[in-house]
Amino acid sequence: MKKLFLCALAALAIVACKQAPKAETTEDTTDAAAEKTLVAYFSATGTTQAAAELLAQALEAEVFRIEPVEPYTEDDLNWRDSLSRSSVEMKDIKARPAIKALPVDLRQYKKIYLGFPIWWGVAPRVINTFIEESEFADVTIVPFATSGGSEIDEASKALAETYTNLTFESGRLLNDATPADIEAWVKGE
Ligand SMILES: Cc1cc2nc3c(=O)[nH]c(=O)nc-3n(C[C@H](O)[C@H](O)[C@H](O)COP(=O)(O)O)c2cc1C
């Protein structure tokens, strides 16, 4: 009798296992997740922000603004003053101005379009703060920038040489870029 009861219990357990709903998983294993893209940018006076927003629309990507804890004032941005905050930071390759907390786990993104204004030919130091605090591992970074005329190549090269563990594309200068220009760029035209 006891044997029969144990057999019935085992049979019930097998049926229950077969019918049990699959455990829910929060991990998104679709291709879309594997290629998750973010547009992250710093903009002191709004020009790069406008380009970043057009880019995010073209990519249908999420957008994140990198914000320094201490916003840059007009005096801070005076490149003619060698003692202004931006001049002092840009003369010091180790300067890492504090940025506001990153709201999401940025390691979930596989491709980051990283935007900034060109300062003294390269990316502002807050961009270094952002990259270092993000703890990226397996990510491709595509720089984009606005400027008063300088090209982006030197800035992209400097980032790629500093962060040799990350993959950088050469990037694109988006001065006066129209939505159509940006659309064509992201489509690789
Ligand atoms: C401190 C500082 C340094 C700059 N250095 C350069 C430069 O080296 N080359 C250049 O073409 N423009 C330079 N600019 C101009 C900015 O790159 C340009 O105005 C940019 O579009 C501003 O972007 P934003 O409005 O997103 O801050 C500099 C601007 C500032 C404030």
Side-chain angles (χ1 to χ4, degrees):
M1 182 67 187
K2 196 175 168 194
K3 222 175 182 179
L4 195 68
F5 175 75
L6 283 175
C7 279
L9 204 65
L12 262 178
I14 289 165
V15 171
C17 274
K18 278 190 176 160
Q19 289 177 349
K22 272 191 187 166
E24 274 189 21
T25 169
T26 51
E27 198 185 331
D28 190 347
T29 53
T30 61
D31 286 350
E35 286 166 17
K36 229 173 157 186
T37 298
L38 177 73
V39 175
Y41 71 94
F42 163 66
S43 179
T45 56
T47 315
T48 312
Q49 178 175 7
E53 283 167 0
L54 289 177
L55 182 57
Q57 276 171 28
L59 291 163
E60 295 182 17
E62 290 163 60
V63 60
F64 172 66
R65 180 178 188 143
I66 300 162
E67 284 190 77
V69 170
E70 283 280 325
Y72 288 86
T73 64
E74 217 176 306
D75 284 346
D76 290 340
L77 297 172
N78 186 355
W79 65 85
R80 292 186 188 89
D81 176 1
S82 63
L83 296 178
S84 74
R85 176 180 166 198
S86 58
S87 299
V88 171
E89 285 175 4
M90 296 312 288
K91 270 185 266 182
D92 176 6
I93 55 162
K94 291 192 174 146
R96 296 292 182 268
I99 58 171
K100 290 189 185 170
L102 306 174
V104 283
D105 179 6
L106 293 163
R107 285 170 301 180
Q108 68 183 293
Y109 296 99
K110 294 293 164 223
K111 197 166 200 181
I112 310 254
Y113 285 77
L114 182 56
F116 48 84
I118 304 277
W119 282 7
W120 295 104
V122 293
R125 304 287 179 226
V126 285
I127 293 297
N128 298 81
T129 312
F130 172 75
I131 292 174
E132 290 165 22
E133 289 191 0
S134 303
E135 298 178 345
F136 294 129
D138 179 22
V139 71
T140 297
I141 297 186
V142 187
F144 66 95
T146 66
S147 77
S150 294
E151 293 298 330
I152 193 173
D153 309 358
E154 195 191 328
S156 299
K157 190 166 164 257
L159 289 173
E161 285 174 359
T162 306
Y163 303 105
T164 51
N165 58 323
L166 304 177
T167 305
F168 283 86
E169 290 186 7
S170 53
R172 182 67 69 112
L173 192 68
L174 295 181
N175 284 351
D176 303 319
T178 63
D181 295 334
I182 291 177
E183 192 87 29
W185 174 43
V186 301
K187 284 187 181 155
E189 290 166 5

